[in-house]
Amino acid sequence: MTSLSIIGCGFVADLYMRSLALYPDIKIAAVYDRDSARCTAFCSHWSLSGVASLKALFADTPKGSVILNLTNPSSHFEINKVCLEAGYHVYSEKPLAVDMDQATALHTLATKRNLLLASAPCSVLGEAAQTLGAAIRADMAGCPRLIYAELDDGFIPQAPHGNWISDSGAPWPVKDEFEVGCTLEHAGYYLSWLIGFFGPVLTVVAASAEVIPNKTQSGNCAPDFSVATLFFESGLVARLTCSIVAPHDHQIRVIGDKGVLRVEKAWDNSAKVSLHRRIKIRRRLLESPLAKRFRLKGPTHPKVTRKGAAAMNFALGPVEMIAALKENRPCRLSSDFALHMNEVTLAIQNSGETTGAQQMQTTCPPIEPMPWAK
Ligand SMILES: NC(=O)c1ccc[n+]([C@@H]2O[C@H](COP(=O)([O-])OP(=O)(O)OC[C@H]3O[C@@H](n4cnc5c(N)ncnc54)[C@H](O)[C@@H]3O)[C@@H](O)[C@H]2O)c1
């Protein structure tokens, strides 16, 4: 039996609990939220016992275990730091921190203390991403020349988000989502795949804007649209788009010399990976409308049943950390990976109208494929 503890009992914590339920060997040691009513509602829904302070959470969490930081982004730095200082490995919801000085300080602290520090999302370890990675390595589409990745969510300000309530009753945190912005919230869902497959980004050329004003009363919102061209050290080029404005589109297309590999759903671990071969018919060149599905041969990982927008196993990241600790091996979601993801994401988010090419200062190797995807 391995234990982990949770800080932050809001909307996403319920998604983690539905995923962690797939791993009966993991026990929740302690749960804390600074909002005691939220902590109580969450704990009574999942039959857990909450504690009233961080000090009490540390007292109930065995040293050397993993703590999940599921608080709002503005609390990530403070909570990640205090957990590392207390001697725990940390899995943080994204972003690792809202500025690079803070993210670098966390990375330095984790390295000094020899602790693991990882950041969501972990869907790069999921079946859809791992299948796409295997299809690229198997040269299904030929040499990848360009990638288009879209994380457009639809016109979210007009969505009935007031009705989006988590299992234990937490409302979707609309104000926080708009103030943090869709790039910090979502770019990682494909950036992690791209950096995981192809290694570090050298240069970001991006633009971001707020195209729907006054989404909250404070008027203090982050960009609701961004588009980035990413130049990888490997020579690959990718375009990544994030918005809560354009019609829903979560596809990624890997365009190679022989055709296009495509995944339609970023948030579904079971999403199909399909190959559209390039064909010539008389005077025309086209990508075949008939897709060939690429599958891995053996079993992969436990899946959550589909509910709401995402069919994602949120526990894959924490489970990978626990396995790395047990097996005394590097964690696929390393602190170098988290820091590089943070730098690229912030570069896109903060690009605005006039920022030119931004050279990245951090780096990380690609992620070793999961054993079942090799
Ligand atoms: N909402 C989603 O669909 C979703 C999906 C994936 C990831 N995320 C990420 O999960 C994180 C949390 O988002 P959420 O939607 O659950 O937000 P939320 O507002 O519903 O929940 C966050 C909880 O953290 C608690 N908290 C904040 N600061 C704290 C602190 N210093 N100490 C203790 N508790 C603290 C709050 O009281 C709140 O209950 C964010 O980083 C977000 O990017 C959210």
Side-chain angles (χ1 to χ4, degrees):
M1 191 62 89
T2 316
S3 58
L4 51 78
S5 291
I6 294 178
I7 305 176
C9 304
F11 194 93
V12 88
D14 284 333
L15 300 178
Y16 275 82
M17 284 307 294
R18 288 210 289 124
S19 303
L20 287 165
L22 302 167
Y23 301 89
D25 279 354
I26 297 179
K27 177 177 159 283
I28 308 300
V31 176
Y32 168 66
D33 195 298
R34 66 181 174 193
D35 175 345
S36 59
R38 180 83 293 273
C39 191
T40 306
F42 178 79
C43 288
S44 68
H45 183 84
W46 295 104
S47 305
L48 298 167
S49 45
V51 295
S53 66
L54 272 179
K55 203 172 157 205
L57 179 122
F58 294 149
D60 286 355
T61 306
K63 280 278 175 277
S65 39
V66 176
I67 295 183
L68 306 187
N69 177 2
L70 310 183
T71 63
N72 309 96
S74 57
S75 291
H76 286 181
F77 172 67
E78 156 210 345
I79 295 293
N80 288 337
K81 181 166 176 281
V82 78
C83 292
L84 289 169
E85 283 170 345
Y88 294 98
H89 305 286
V90 175
Y91 182 85
S92 173
E93 252 305 332
K94 67 201 150 45
L96 184 62
V98 292
D99 75 48
M100 270 315 276
D101 286 349
Q102 292 183 342
T104 307
L106 293 173
H107 180 272
T108 306
L109 180 58
T111 310
K112 261 194 200 149
R113 305 264 171 129
N114 204 18
L115 293 165
L116 299 185
L117 172 66
S119 158
C122 61
S123 65
V124 63
L125 306 179
E127 186 181 294
Q130 291 286 317
T131 308
L132 179 62
I136 295 167
R137 291 193 302 280
D139 203 37
M140 297 300 291
C143 179
R145 300 292 176 182
L146 179 66
I147 298 192
Y148 272 22
E150 331 286 345
L151 289 162
D152 290 307
D153 283 355
F155 207 95
I156 295 295
Q158 288 177 4
H161 44 68
N163 300 337
W164 300 348
I165 309 287
S166 72
D167 290 354
S168 71
W172 188 68
V174 57
K175 181 171 176 286
D176 208 44
E177 290 273 342
F178 290 164
E179 289 181 357
V180 172
C182 57
T183 305
L184 277 196
E185 292 283 356
H186 294 161
Y189 285 110
Y190 276 143
L191 259 188
S192 58
W193 296 25
L194 296 173
I195 296 170
F197 300 158
F198 301 108
V201 176
L202 280 187
T203 309
V204 174
V205 179
S208 62
E210 188 184 1
V211 300
I212 310 172
N214 307 318
K215 290 187 289 300
T216 62
Q217 275 179 349
S218 71
N220 197 15
C221 291
D224 45 25
F225 161 75
S226 69
V227 62
T229 305
L230 307 170
F231 297 85
F232 287 78
E233 192 179 271
S234 67
L236 188 81
V237 176
R239 184 192 76 180
L240 175 68
T241 306
C242 296
S243 86
I244 49 167
V245 183
H248 189 283
D249 184 354
H250 278 189
Q251 68 177 322
I252 184 165
R253 285 170 291 175
V254 179
I255 301 146
D257 287 340
K258 294 194 264 185
V260 176
L261 280 165
R262 180 164 180 248
V263 179
E264 268 185 68
K265 297 173 185 168
W267 294 349
D268 182 348
N269 291 145
S270 303
K272 282 188 221 158
V273 175
S274 53
L275 172 67
H276 298 260
R277 284 213 176 83
R278 200 164 294 116
I279 50 173
K280 285 178 201 157
I281 300 180
R282 295 196 195 97
R283 287 156 53 98
R284 291 179 66 203
L285 175 72
L286 49 124
E287 268 86 38
S288 168
L290 299 176
K292 181 177 169 7
R293 185 162 181 190
F294 182 86
R295 292 176 200 260
L296 295 172
K297 291 213 169 66
T300 59
H301 61 80
K303 312 259 177 35
V304 284
T305 49
R306 195 173 170 80
K307 196 175 173 199
M312 247 188 307
N313 181 341
F314 283 80
L316 290 172
V319 164
E320 163 65 12
M321 284 179 96
I322 291 169
L325 289 168
K326 270 196 187 146
E327 295 160 21
N328 199 20
R329 61 160 171 86
C331 180
R332 285 181 175 80
L333 299 181
S334 67
S335 57
D336 289 350
F337 181 76
L339 190 66
H340 188 57
M341 289 262 299
N342 213 76
E343 185 182 23
V344 177
T345 308
L346 284 170
I348 303 171
Q349 162 105 345
N350 297 333
S351 55
E353 276 184 56
T354 53
T355 307
Q358 303 178 71
Q359 306 304 322
M360 298 298 96
Q361 305 301 313
T362 63
T363 188
C364 68
I367 292 181
E368 173 81 3
M370 296 300 276
W372 41 262
K374 282 182 181 166

